Amino acid sequence: MRKLQYVPLDEIESDKFIPILNKASTRKHLITHDAFDSDLAKKWIRDKLDIDALEGCIVRAITVDDELVGWCGIQLSELGHEIAIVIDDRSWGIGKRVFRSLISWADDFGHEVVYIHLLHTRPEYEFLRKKSQRVFPTEMIGDRFTTYELNVADCLAGKDKC
């Protein structure tokens, strides 16, 4: 099995995030933003470190076999705590492992519910709908999302929910 690790963002050289954050297959699933350069990548990391410092939040780089493949976290959204996972398309197969880690962290923080916000341009995912206690449209930061509300205890209990 490949070695998956979660690393504080400031332990990764900021420029290493640029190819992942600017990749078309990544950007098409995110809100529209300027392409990253070295300065924007450093600012992005600073902003994420500020989120990481908040109670109930965590943001980490994801490495597989010591290679950066993305980032993940529990961060605040307008509804409460959200799960965010951004993985380079070469490593999409690790998504379930990352998701399970995030749910475990959410439980450690005492979160009862977490949200996943997917940009409206993405299709609705049946597997997420089955895991969710609610699915509904939301508008945040100037865009539309499909929001999945997950019960952390159900996910941990393995009740075919998560």
Side-chain angles (χ1 to χ4, degrees):
M1 181 178 286
R2 297 168 55 184
K3 180 181 164 192
L4 179 120
Q5 291 185 292
Y6 303 102
V7 180
L9 294 181
D10 56 358
E11 291 183 18
I12 305 286
E13 184 181 324
S14 60
D15 285 353
K16 290 188 177 193
F17 285 95
I18 294 172
I20 295 169
L21 296 172
N22 283 344
K23 195 170 195 178
S25 59
T26 303
R27 290 176 63 93
K28 77 178 183 178
H29 297 299
L30 304 174
I31 59 172
T32 303
H33 57 79
D34 292 334
F36 284 85
D37 60 17
S38 188
D39 289 336
L40 279 178
K42 287 175 186 169
K43 181 186 180 321
W44 177 82
I45 288 175
R46 284 192 308 271
D47 291 346
K48 292 298 180 191
L49 289 171
D50 289 345
I51 293 168
D52 185 66
L54 297 173
E55 185 174 338
C57 295
I58 186 170
V59 182
R60 294 291 183 262
I62 304 168
T63 63
V64 174
D65 297 333
D66 298 320
E67 178 186 349
L68 179 67
V69 299
W71 70 275
C72 66
I74 299 171
Q75 40 192 22
L76 288 173
S77 74
E78 293 176 15
L79 297 175
H81 289 92
E82 72 168 341
I83 289 177
I85 302 172
V86 176
I87 301 172
D88 189 316
D89 59 2
R90 298 172 296 132
S91 297
W92 279 350
I94 66 166
K96 285 183 181 180
R97 287 172 62 194
V98 174
F99 176 80
R100 285 192 298 269
S101 294
L102 288 165
I103 290 295
S104 178
W105 297 343
D107 182 58
D108 291 345
F109 287 133
H111 302 319
E112 294 179 14
V113 170
V114 291
Y115 298 90
I116 297 175
H117 305 290
L118 297 181
L119 197 60
H120 73 280
T121 57
R122 295 175 79 168
E124 188 173 300
Y125 291 103
E126 185 61 28
F127 78 95
L128 273 177
R129 177 174 277 291
K130 288 179 182 178
K131 295 176 185 318
S132 301
Q133 58 187 23
R134 280 193 322 148
V135 179
F136 53 96
T138 51
E139 288 193 28
M140 298 180 293
I141 51 178
D143 225 321
R144 292 176 294 130
F145 296 84
T146 300
T147 296
Y148 301 84
E149 181 181 85
L150 302 171
N151 181 291
V152 174
D154 284 351
C155 289
L156 288 173
K159 298 179 181 175
D160 293 334
K161 288 296 247 174
C162 292

